[in-house]
């Protein structure tokens, strides 16, 4: 069975929408696109390089796929570009009919069943970048094995959140944590059973 790993940039209040640029995702009137850019440094670059160093496939929602497909094939000298361009990309969409980015496969129909079958196959880990709507489906169906979060010292009060309404209760175990010079918390969590409750 393959591990499914969510890599997300999130604010202190859990917003993950449009961290990379003002026009990345303006849906729902979001006006803070590009909120992560001022916190980027060599430390963060090395974190992303490490997290993407091993072979991986990708599972992407339509919006993230379109953003990535418009940028990465033409970003030959950018760190990580070769890995992203060469990775196999599974794209969940109800509207796309053609995928131009190399190594892309369209996933339609019974998404839950197809993701389960994808996880049951042999192969490298499956990384999910962006894809906030898709992540809600993954969380509701307990498909997420690991969260690799970059938590930025900012609150936005509005925007698409990593954990939306309807997220299943779940426990996670911290397996790695560090802090960038600019205050970004890098925290990697493994899925670990059910929520345990008690009293003091």
């Amino acid at each position: 069975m393959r591990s499914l790993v969510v890599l997300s940039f999130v604010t202190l209040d859990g917003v993950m929408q449009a961290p990379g640029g003002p026009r990345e995702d303006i849906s729902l009137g979001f006006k803070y696109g590009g909120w992560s850019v001022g916190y980027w440094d060599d430390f963060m670059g090395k974190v992303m390089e490490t997290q993407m160093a091993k072979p991986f496939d990708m599972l992407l929602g339509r919006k993230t796929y379109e953003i990535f497909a418009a940028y990465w094939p033409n970003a030959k000298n950018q760190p990580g570009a070769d890995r992203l361009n060469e990775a196999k990309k599974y794209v969940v969409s109800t509207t796309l009919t053609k995928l131009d980015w190399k190594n892309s496969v369209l996933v339609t129909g019974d998404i839950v069943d197809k993701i389960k079958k994808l996880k049951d196959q042999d192969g490298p880990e499956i990384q999910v970048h962006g894809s906030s709507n898709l992540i809600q489906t993954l969380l509701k169906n307990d498909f997420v094995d690991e969260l690799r979060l970059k938590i930025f010292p900012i609150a936005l009060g509005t925007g698409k959140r990593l954990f939306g309404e309807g997220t299943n209760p779940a426990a996670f175990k911290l397996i790695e944590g560090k802090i960038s010079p600019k205050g970004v918390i890098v925290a990697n969590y493994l899925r670990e059973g059910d929520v345990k409750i008690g009293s003091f």
Side-chain angles (χ1 to χ4, degrees):
M1 178 176 274
R2 308 164 76 180
S3 290
L4 191 148
V5 183
V6 169
L7 295 87
S8 287
F9 297 170
V10 296
T11 64
L12 289 175
D13 57 341
V15 174
M16 61 176 294
Q17 186 171 352
R23 305 296 300 173
E24 186 176 319
D25 181 2
I26 59 172
S27 61
L28 305 174
F30 190 70
K31 59 184 180 180
Y32 299 108
W35 51 264
S36 75
V37 176
Y39 297 95
W40 201 263
D41 55 16
D42 288 343
F43 179 97
M44 292 299 295
K46 288 176 183 174
V47 165
M48 291 306 297
E49 183 179 347
T50 299
Q51 293 186 354
M52 298 170 64
K54 294 179 181 177
F56 61 88
D57 289 347
M58 300 174 74
L59 179 64
L60 302 171
R62 177 188 60 82
K63 286 184 181 178
T64 299
Y65 172 80
E66 289 178 335
I67 292 166
F68 279 23
Y71 179 78
W72 288 109
N74 304 309
K76 304 292 185 189
N77 297 321
Q78 290 290 328
D82 288 344
R83 293 187 194 101
L84 291 168
N85 287 322
E86 294 302 322
K88 190 164 192 178
K89 293 160 276 284
Y90 297 93
V91 184
V92 176
S93 175
T94 58
T95 57
L96 293 176
T97 57
K98 184 182 176 188
L99 304 175
D100 294 325
W101 194 9
K102 183 171 70 171
N103 300 327
S104 296
V105 177
L106 189 60
V107 179
T108 59
D110 186 343
I111 301 304
V112 171
D113 181 63
K114 290 188 176 177
I115 293 173
K116 184 179 185 305
K117 288 178 179 175
L118 188 61
K119 285 195 65 179
D120 287 342
Q121 295 174 358
D122 292 329
E125 73 179 19
I126 303 165
Q127 294 190 358
V128 181
H129 297 253
S131 308
S132 59
N133 293 336
L134 173 60
I135 287 173
Q136 304 315 304
T137 299
L138 300 176
L139 290 169
K140 286 175 186 176
N141 289 279
D142 203 17
F143 285 145
V144 178
D145 299 297
E146 184 177 345
L147 296 167
R148 295 179 189 159
L149 304 182
K150 277 63 72 176
I151 305 166
F152 290 74
I154 186 171
L156 299 179
T158 185
K160 297 174 184 176
R161 285 175 163 76
L162 175 61
F163 295 101
E165 291 295 324
T167 296
N168 285 333
F172 292 86
K173 175 183 179 182
L174 182 69
I175 57 171
E176 183 179 2
K178 47 193 168 187
I179 302 174
S180 83
K182 294 188 177 183
V184 179
I185 299 169
V186 177
N188 298 352
Y189 296 94
L190 278 181
R191 180 73 172 86
E192 191 180 53
D194 297 328
V195 174
K196 298 174 179 65
I197 60 173
S199 61
F200 290 101

